Amino acid sequence: MSIQLSNFFSGIGAKKLSEVEVEPDISNQHEFNGVTALRDIFGTQKISFQGRFIYLSDDEEQILEDTGNLTWYDSRIKDPTRSAEFRLYYSPNKVIDGAEQGDLAVIGRISDDKLAILIAPKGSTSEKQLLWLFGLEDMGSSFVLKDLTDKDIQLNYAGQYIISSFGFEIQDTAPDYLDELIKRFSKGFPTTSEFSDYARSTIGDASAVDEPDTTLLNWMERELLLFRTLENHFVSKKLQKGFGDTGTDVDDFISYSLSVQNRRKSRAGYAFENHLAVLFDSNNILYSRGCKTERNNKPDFLFPGISQYNNIGFATELLTMLGVKTTAKDRWRQVLSEADRIENKHLITLEPAISKNQTDEMIAKNLQLVIPKQLQATYTEEQQSDMINLYEFIRIIKDNQNQNRN
């Protein structure tokens, strides 16, 4: 089953928020202005919508979400002598309260009576991801409208990654694998290492040496697909059984829901590390994984290993540290203090379309970004010139190992 952008939005409108829309000292009208073009999606009749508002801060702790009502109407309907001027009224909510002039707003129609309002700070990674996802890179300051109903826009790994970060559920599963999954893991979810091993075993044409970038994403995509399939099975059984003794215990429901969310988050990071370790092994690369350095820090990978790192006589230029983060955003700074002996550090991430502000700061902090080849297209050409892919990173490590042997 292919995942398309139209599975989530039938159409979108995008604009940069103006001062009058977000500054209560100037106006308290609670309306999006300059959106008349939305009539091509909404029509010309008054419509009421249920709204989901999301403020997509790069700091995960500052992401805001709220619900509210929206109304599409012609503000000049009572004056037939004037041409129509359509506006979109929204009820007061904390997401718009936190927005600033110049922030990007994407108004997406989810269904006949539901909208999603996505707000991203100006210059942020979240803004760049929205612009890339909806093809808005050249929108400038104008209002842009896109009808997606007849557009066959396939969501690749990067697109699904971004959609998921909004909190939308990817429903794609692999029913052909369900019987085998149930047979293998009937007692519940296995360890991440076991599940990663199984996911890799279902892909027979992987080329860990010749095409590590493609192989890594294939493994990650397959594991995610199989995980969703098994999770859907277990969650469905739990829903049929109910929660607590009564079947409607709210505390038990909340506890179970949190456990599902936490498993999703931790699984992705561990799976990423597991697949990288297998790629390094396949390329005969020496490394230590998760060993302690200064101040009990634990870099994800040290090359050629912790014993060489602790050996003051070992050449510093032959040491390499690789941080691993599925989601970078503001979390990338965590790797900067993880190995004091290594001045120029490396970070691999699956985060698409990181903002130029962030990648420039990485360069200033001597952090080399490693981005799988297929995801580099979500970055500007200027950004791509300063990053390397996984194949190139592996070549660097191999060269260092060869120098050490000599």
Side-chain angles (χ1 to χ4, degrees):
M1 173 182 172
S2 62
I3 304 297
Q4 300 180 11
L5 192 55
S6 59
N7 294 147
F8 303 93
F9 302 100
S10 60
I12 64 101
K15 72 188 305 290
K16 298 295 180 68
L17 293 175
S18 64
E19 190 176 29
V20 72
E21 290 170 307
V22 295
E23 293 293 342
D25 293 339
I26 296 176
S27 174
N28 198 31
Q29 61 183 8
H30 300 301
E31 289 180 333
F32 292 115
N33 298 325
V35 295
T36 296
L38 280 171
R39 65 185 174 189
D40 290 344
I41 296 177
F42 294 165
T44 58
Q45 301 299 310
K46 184 177 181 179
I47 310 176
S48 294
F49 295 100
Q50 300 173 37
R52 179 186 172 202
F53 296 80
I54 310 173
Y55 183 80
L56 299 165
S57 170
D58 286 352
D59 185 341
E60 293 180 359
E61 295 182 357
Q62 295 184 21
I63 292 176
L64 299 175
E65 187 164 351
D66 207 348
T67 57
N69 300 313
L70 299 104
T71 304
W72 169 252
Y73 74 105
D74 178 4
S75 63
R76 295 177 176 174
I77 194 169
K78 295 182 179 180
D79 188 348
T81 64
R82 305 176 68 187
S83 58
E85 182 177 306
F86 289 93
R87 295 184 181 182
L88 186 61
Y89 168 86
Y90 55 82
S91 58
N93 64 86
K94 62 184 179 182
V95 169
I96 301 297
D97 289 345
E100 297 182 358
Q101 180 182 1
D103 287 353
L104 174 67
V106 173
I107 303 164
R109 190 167 193 174
I110 301 174
S111 64
D112 288 346
D113 62 350
K114 292 183 180 179
L115 299 179
I117 313 299
L118 309 172
I119 308 292
K122 181 180 180 180
S124 66
T125 290
S126 296
E127 179 193 49
K128 192 168 187 296
Q129 290 176 343
L130 283 175
L131 293 173
W132 178 83
L133 180 68
F134 294 111
L136 303 170
E137 291 96 333
D138 300 324
M139 68 174 286
S141 58
S142 61
F143 181 82
V144 177
L145 179 73
K146 293 205 171 187
D147 185 344
L148 303 174
T149 52
D150 296 324
K151 301 292 191 302
D152 186 21
I153 302 175
Q154 303 289 329
L155 290 182
N156 57 13
Y157 184 91
Q160 293 185 40
Y161 179 106
I162 295 171
I163 283 286
S164 296
S165 73
F166 301 160
F168 289 92
E169 288 286 329
I170 304 289
Q171 300 296 332
D172 194 19
T173 59
D176 292 345
Y177 285 94
L178 182 57
D179 289 342
E180 185 177 355
L181 285 165
I182 294 173
K183 182 178 179 181
R184 282 176 173 266
F185 310 118
S186 60
K187 295 181 180 179
F189 278 101
T191 65
T192 309
S193 179
E194 291 177 294
F195 202 75
S196 294
D197 288 345
Y198 170 68
R200 288 192 299 273
S201 74
T202 65
I203 299 180
D205 58 349
S207 180
V209 176
D210 296 328
E211 296 184 343
D213 293 84
T214 300
T215 298
L216 173 64
L217 280 191
N218 286 345
W219 285 346
M220 290 294 295
E221 288 177 330
R222 178 58 59 85
E223 179 163 355
L224 180 56
L225 178 65
L226 295 176
F227 175 84
R228 283 198 298 254
T229 303
L230 187 59
E231 181 188 61
N232 187 63
H233 169 72
F234 285 135
V235 171
S236 296
K237 288 182 63 176
K238 178 63 176 175
L239 291 174
Q240 291 171 6
K241 180 181 178 181
F243 300 91
D245 295 335
T246 64
T248 58
D249 188 301
V250 175
D251 289 338
D252 187 48
F253 167 77
I254 293 175
S255 176
Y256 182 76
S257 177
L258 289 174
S259 71
V260 170
Q261 295 298 322
N262 290 334
R263 181 169 54 232
R264 288 180 178 181
K265 292 178 181 179
S266 63
R267 179 209 57 81
Y270 286 124
F272 193 11
E273 290 184 36
N274 291 337
H275 294 315
L276 283 170
V278 172
L279 285 172
F280 296 148
D281 291 338
S282 299
N283 283 275
N284 298 315
I285 287 176
L286 301 175
Y287 63 88
S288 292
R289 181 178 173 185
C291 293
K292 290 183 180 180
T293 57
E294 301 84 5
R295 300 172 299 281
N296 287 325
N297 281 308
K298 291 184 178 181
D300 297 308
F301 289 95
L302 274 176
F303 307 89
I306 189 63
S307 61
Q308 292 85 354
Y309 183 84
N310 289 332
N311 179 2
I312 302 302
F314 189 85
T316 303
E317 62 271 18
L318 297 181
L319 293 171
T320 307
M321 191 217 82
L322 178 68
V324 179
K325 294 193 179 298
T326 52
T327 302
K329 288 194 168 79
D330 277 348
R331 298 174 61 242
W332 63 266
R333 296 181 181 83
Q334 296 170 1
V335 309
L336 297 178
S337 62
E338 290 182 344
D340 290 352
R341 285 194 65 192
I342 302 172
E343 181 179 2
N344 299 304
K345 298 176 172 62
H346 289 74
L347 170 68
I348 185 168
T349 182
L350 301 177
E351 181 98 54
I354 297 175
S355 71
K356 189 174 185 302
N357 291 339
Q358 296 251 15
T359 56
D360 284 349
E361 188 177 352
M362 291 177 187
I363 294 170
K365 298 291 187 181
N366 297 319
L367 184 66
Q368 173 65 65
L369 197 56
V370 183
I371 300 292
K373 181 173 56 179
Q374 295 87 334
L375 299 182
Q376 290 193 11
T378 67
Y379 293 81
T380 66
E381 290 185 5
E382 182 181 354
Q383 288 176 302
Q384 291 179 44
S385 67
D386 291 314
M387 61 181 60
I388 61 175
N389 59 41
L390 183 55
Y391 180 88
E392 292 168 330
F393 175 78
I394 289 174
R395 298 281 76 74
I396 291 171
I397 301 303
K398 281 190 170 182
D399 288 345
N400 287 346
Q401 284 188 183
N402 291 333
Q403 291 185 51
N404 182 38
R405 291 192 184 101
N406 297 331

